[in-house]
Amino acid sequence: MKLVSNKKFVLLLEIFISIIFGLTILSIPLFSFLKGYFIITWVLTFILVAACLFYIIVYGEIKIDLVVLLLLSFILSSIIGSALTLFKSFLFTPIFNVCIIVFLYCYFSNCNQRQKNRCILSIYIALSIFAVIFCLKYRNELISLDFRRLGSEFGDENDISIILSVGYCLSFYYFLFGKKIVLRILEILSAICFAALSFTCGSKISIFIIIICSIFCVYKFFGKKHWYISTILILLLLGGVVFVLTLSPFATLKERFL
């Protein structure tokens, strides 16, 4: 039941949520892996969840579907599994993260497509800002092409690489489905930058994330009728990844991948 019909307030609340969403995403690689600073991510996450929950209660409704049931069953099974070992291996953070996913899923189930696009754009901007910070932090290594595995200054190299590969996914998506030519050129350059930075972290899983995302987006863009074009582009992409792995700066990644 909708209790408030003030459209301006709804719009301001949606914009506030999208901004907090972006700040929370940005805080993950910047603060959440560092001792003494992870509290910043926790505070932003709490504000985000509270705002989403307020939106759902006032302007939407809580929908219990299969996805929510599966997530809740994961929480229940984790608690039961930990109870069997007298909570010796109990970890609160994974359960807390799943609870956050439940709230965000319920929020996106209620908000309109325009707000969903705002939140995605906010994530994209946040990841782009982090990419710039990453480049400034490792500018000497990047300029000299002398690196093994970057990213340890922010946290675990694999985690940082995954975050950067998500930036690639968004850039590549905007490139394919964008309308303005100038922006699409910038987005493909951004995608290449995100992929290159992700590879410098030496994470194997980032390669799979980039490949799987590219396959999905390309086939989604060209559709079933032009599957042969999609197949050719994917083969070219795979060839490009293999070529990158043969370059000396990415020798560590090649060794880990093999």
Side-chain angles (χ1 to χ4, degrees):
M1 180 177 179
K2 296 181 179 179
L3 302 177
V4 182
S5 58
N6 191 326
K7 294 183 178 180
K8 290 184 178 180
F9 182 78
V10 175
L11 178 60
L12 290 175
L13 179 60
E14 289 177 345
I15 294 175
F16 174 77
I17 291 175
S18 62
I19 293 174
I20 293 297
F21 205 166
L23 291 176
T24 303
I25 296 298
L26 178 60
S27 72
I28 292 174
L30 291 182
F31 304 113
S32 64
F33 302 115
L34 301 177
K35 293 182 179 180
Y37 293 95
F38 63 88
I39 189 65
I40 297 176
T41 300
W42 282 80
V43 170
L44 288 172
T45 302
F46 177 79
I47 296 174
L48 174 63
V49 171
C52 290
L53 186 59
F54 175 80
Y55 184 96
I56 295 171
I57 293 174
V58 178
Y59 301 106
E61 58 182 356
I62 299 177
K63 301 177 182 178
I64 305 298
D65 56 11
L66 180 60
V67 175
V68 175
L69 290 176
L70 289 174
L71 291 171
L72 294 178
S73 65
F74 171 82
I75 296 175
L76 180 61
S77 63
S78 299
I79 295 175
I80 294 175
S82 298
L84 294 176
T85 60
L86 300 178
F87 295 98
K88 292 181 179 180
S89 59
F90 179 77
L91 294 175
F92 175 74
T93 303
I95 294 178
F96 179 74
N97 290 338
V98 176
C99 291
I100 294 173
I101 294 174
V102 172
F103 283 120
L104 292 179
Y105 176 80
C106 292
Y107 171 73
F108 285 117
S109 298
N110 283 277
C111 67
N112 53 44
Q113 187 60 44
R114 181 175 296 180
Q115 174 61 8
K116 294 176 184 177
N117 293 336
R118 285 197 200 100
C119 290
I120 295 174
L121 179 61
S122 181
I123 295 173
Y124 182 49
I125 293 174
L127 294 177
S128 299
I129 293 174
F130 173 67
V132 173
I133 296 174
F134 187 93
C135 290
L136 293 175
K137 183 67 175 180
Y138 294 106
R139 58 186 180 278
N140 295 329
E141 291 85 350
L142 294 173
I143 293 174
S144 62
L145 297 179
D146 182 20
F147 50 80
R148 291 182 178 273
R149 297 192 69 183
L150 303 182
S152 60
E153 294 294 329
F154 296 100
D156 182 78
E157 293 90 341
N158 294 317
D159 295 331
I160 300 302
S161 182
I162 291 173
I163 291 173
L164 291 169
S165 63
V166 172
Y168 165 84
C169 296
L170 293 176
S171 297
F172 193 67
Y173 177 85
Y174 279 124
F175 162 69
L176 287 177
F177 295 93
K179 296 181 180 180
K180 296 183 179 180
I181 297 178
V182 176
L183 291 179
R184 294 179 74 176
I185 293 175
L186 294 176
E187 284 150 6
I188 191 60
L189 294 175
S190 175
I192 294 173
C193 177
F194 271 115
L197 294 178
S198 179
F199 284 177
T200 63
C201 298
S203 174
K204 295 169 289 185
I205 192 173
S206 63
I207 296 178
F208 292 105
I209 293 176
I210 289 173
I211 292 176
I212 292 173
C213 168
S214 301
I215 292 175
F216 174 80
C217 290
V218 168
Y219 278 100
K220 181 72 174 178
F221 180 78
F222 288 101
K224 296 181 179 179
K225 294 183 179 180
H226 302 91
W227 62 269
Y228 53 92
I229 298 178
S230 301
T231 303
I232 293 174
L233 291 176
I234 293 302
L235 291 175
L236 290 174
L237 173 68
L238 293 175
V241 171
V242 173
F243 172 74
V244 168
L245 292 177
T246 61
L247 300 176
S248 57
F250 301 101
T252 302
L253 178 58
K254 177 184 176 181
E255 292 174 0
R256 299 187 73 250
F257 185 76
L258 293 177

